[in-house]
Amino acid sequence: MRFNRQICWGLFLVAAYGLLLGVSAFADSDSTVKEKPALQPEPGSPGDTLTREDARMALLVYKLLDKDGKIKGANITRGKELFYQNCRPCHGSDGKRFNFAPYYEPPAFIGQRAREEMPTFWYQMNFGDKERSMAAYIDELELQDLIDIAGFAQTLP
Ligand code: HEC
């Protein structure tokens, strides 16, 4: 009788110990999920000092332009569709409706700007120019759409 009771207690303790180990292993596995270091400052935090304009322009310079000033990663076919939908009404199918340098030779059309002065083009397309009635597209189109349009615009005359 006495012997049996000891065995019972023994078994009970072993089981309880096992349970404890199990639980602590489970807890451990949870605590191994480490937080990843933040790659970018939180928007609005003290480290986040770039304005929206700066950030968009930095993206162009560091990520989108190749060494010849060509836009990387643009889908030209899609860019053409988007240009036709969004820009053609004012700029014309060939982008030649507005001459940005009316008093100079040679004239400057959207294609020339896109090829030779992509930062100007990119800024104007993203942020517009109220004084000249050019709309801002940063909140109208996705980033990839703007990249596609920029790539297509470089193929315009
Ligand atoms: C509602 C008419 C309108 C639409 C739509 C429009 N633009 Fe413009 N855009 C203008 C006007 C007006 C100007 C200024 C023309 C001038 O100063 O001679 C301009 C200027 C620009 C310039 C400035 C070029 C420079 O070097 O000064 C760029 C780049 C440009 N547009 C790109 C685009 C793109 C890309 C789209 C389509 C996503 C677009 N625009 C849609 C009216 C429009």
Side-chain angles (χ1 to χ4, degrees):
M1 190 60 187
R2 209 185 123 88
F3 183 60
N4 266 352
R5 191 178 283 170
Q6 270 178 347
I7 288 180
C8 274
W9 269 112
L11 286 176
F12 174 72
L13 285 175
V14 167
Y17 186 57
L19 203 72
L20 213 79
L21 279 182
V23 167
S24 69
F26 186 70
D28 264 3
S29 78
D30 240 18
S31 69
T32 53
V33 181
K34 298 225 169 61
E35 224 171 271
K36 283 190 194 135
L39 293 174
Q40 283 181 331
E42 280 286 305
S45 74
D48 178 29
T49 53
L50 288 188
T51 63
R52 215 171 170 217
E53 281 89 349
D54 291 341
R56 258 296 143 109
M57 295 312 287
L59 181 84
L60 174 76
V61 172
Y62 291 118
K63 292 271 155 67
L64 301 179
L65 286 181
D66 72 10
K67 62 173 176 25
D68 302 319
K70 278 246 184 300
I71 288 280
K72 291 187 281 191
N75 178 337
I76 307 293
T77 316
R78 192 160 151 60
K80 182 176 183 177
E81 277 168 27
L82 288 162
F83 184 90
Y84 275 39
Q85 285 163 11
N86 295 283
C87 323
R88 179 172 61 172
C90 296
H91 289 278
S93 328
D94 57 0
K96 284 174 123 178
R97 190 169 293 157
F98 294 122
N99 175 5
F100 305 121
Y103 309 114
Y104 300 94
E105 275 306 322
F109 302 114
I110 217 169
Q112 179 271 343
R113 282 292 195 260
R115 272 190 305 280
E116 292 169 29
E117 289 179 41
M118 181 44 81
T120 306
F121 179 97
W122 184 250
Y123 186 90
Q124 294 281 331
M125 174 170 65
N126 276 274
F127 300 103
D129 186 339
K130 280 211 186 80
E131 281 170 22
R132 297 195 296 161
S133 311
M134 167 58 200
Y137 285 89
I138 188 167
D139 294 320
E140 305 301 323
L141 296 173
E142 297 293 325
L143 175 60
Q144 187 59 51
D145 294 344
L146 296 177
I147 294 171
D148 293 347
I149 292 174
F152 169 70
Q154 293 190 316
T155 72
L156 287 170

